Amino acid sequence: NAGVTQTPKFQVLKTGQSMTLQCAQDMNHNSMYWYRQDPGMGLRLIYYSASEGTTDKGEVPNGYNVSRLNKREFSLRLESAAPSQTSVYFCASSDMPGQINQPQHFGDGTRLSIL
Amino acid sequence: DAKTTQPPSMDCAEGRAANLPCNHSTISGNEYVYWYRQIHSQGPQYIIHGLKNNETNEMASLIITEDRKSSTLILPHATLRDTAVYYCIVRAFTNAGGTSYGKLTFGQGTILTVHP
């Protein structure tokens, strides 16, 4: 049972390059999320998708775009990477959009360094 | 969402119970208490959550005081693999479309170190 799978696990980019982080979940969850975690800090929400076909901005959306490809997959794109986007990126999913008591399940993260 | 306060670090001997406190004195009636943990280099892992009653699952127990202003996460028999950062999060219902929807506010948490 894979849960939430993120690819790649590690990536090094040069400033200005673009890339897409992939996330897939096999729990038939409706909602999916992208967070970033900087050293010594908590997670901050970048974008979320309450259900298939919808996406909305979170706390720190600038410099990112997302695509909810289908119910299973939610990708995060950096169009022109900047050193400030060096971080660990976590994808999460949960069941029943809007249901307060549904926990989020996280992937193991993508460690992204931008030089 | 209510703010939480946790001790920055705690130690526990292997095999003993680990009791992690959390203060959430400004919690309101519709806010749940969640506990997550993050083992080094891994994504956060959901542990348990509750509203006002004590809860228990295969991982831990959650004790919430009657006034709901504080709670304690109990790992009954801590192992070395329980060494992690433990986050106490208070979160209220938010309609989809709001910028706080789905947002879990992770503070600094408590670094629990389990010793042999």
Side-chain angles (χ1 to χ4, degrees):
Chain A
N1 188 2
V4 178
T5 302
Q6 293 184 236
T7 56
K9 295 187 184 304
F10 303 92
Q11 184 70 49
V12 179
L13 294 177
K14 295 181 179 179
T15 298
Q17 288 185 315
S18 62
M19 81 160 294
T20 300
L21 281 62
Q22 307 288 350
C23 175
Q25 51 91 8
D26 63 2
M27 296 172 282
N28 201 35
H29 284 167
N30 287 293
S31 301
M32 298 185 73
Y33 314 85
W34 277 105
Y35 292 84
R36 61 177 287 174
Q37 185 175 33
D38 299 318
M41 296 181 63
L43 279 71
R44 291 183 291 171
L45 183 65
I46 304 171
Y47 270 93
Y48 65 91
S49 171
S51 61
E52 185 179 358
T54 69
T55 61
D56 282 287
K57 296 178 180 180
E59 184 181 1
V60 288
N62 291 342
Y64 304 94
N65 287 299
V66 290
S67 295
R68 184 73 183 267
L69 304 172
N70 48 56
K71 191 172 185 179
R72 289 187 63 249
E73 299 173 288
F74 188 39
S75 63
L76 179 72
R77 183 162 179 84
L78 286 70
E79 290 290 351
S80 179
S84 61
Q85 294 177 304
T86 294
S87 190
V88 182
Y89 291 85
F90 290 102
C91 176
S93 70
S94 68
D95 203 0
M96 300 299 290
Q99 293 296 316
I100 172 63
N101 57 345
Q102 295 302 316
Q104 294 183 18
H105 299 266
F106 287 80
D108 281 335
T110 293
R111 283 145 187 82
L112 182 62
S113 294
I114 299 162
L115 308 177
Chain B
D1 295 336
K3 181 180 178 180
T4 62
T5 303
Q6 299 177 252
S9 64
M10 294 184 65
D11 291 334
C12 178
E14 189 177 20
R16 305 296 291 267
N19 298 283
L20 290 89
C22 180
N23 183 287
H24 32 79
S25 58
T26 60
I27 194 170
S28 56
N30 65 341
E31 290 180 317
Y32 282 72
V33 179
Y34 285 79
W35 283 85
Y36 283 78
R37 72 181 182 184
Q38 189 171 22
I39 297 171
H40 182 61
S41 299
Q42 297 182 19
Q45 178 188 23
Y46 165 77
I47 302 173
I48 199 168
H49 73 277
L51 182 61
K52 53 183 178 181
N53 297 320
N54 297 337
E55 302 287 344
T56 296
N57 63 21
E58 66 277 4
M59 289 182 67
S61 295
L62 174 60
I63 308 298
I64 302 174
T65 58
E66 190 170 346
D67 64 7
R68 302 187 70 237
K69 293 184 177 182
S70 66
S71 61
T72 301
L73 177 74
I74 301 172
L75 306 178
H77 305 287
T79 71
L80 299 179
R81 289 179 294 179
D82 291 322
T83 292
V85 180
Y86 286 78
Y87 297 100
C88 170
I89 299 167
V90 173
R91 182 171 162 243
F93 175 84
T94 304
N95 288 323
T99 56
S100 60
Y101 177 83
K103 175 183 175 182
L104 292 175
T105 302
F106 288 79
Q108 295 301 309
T110 296
I111 301 172
L112 174 68
T113 303
V114 180
H115 298 285

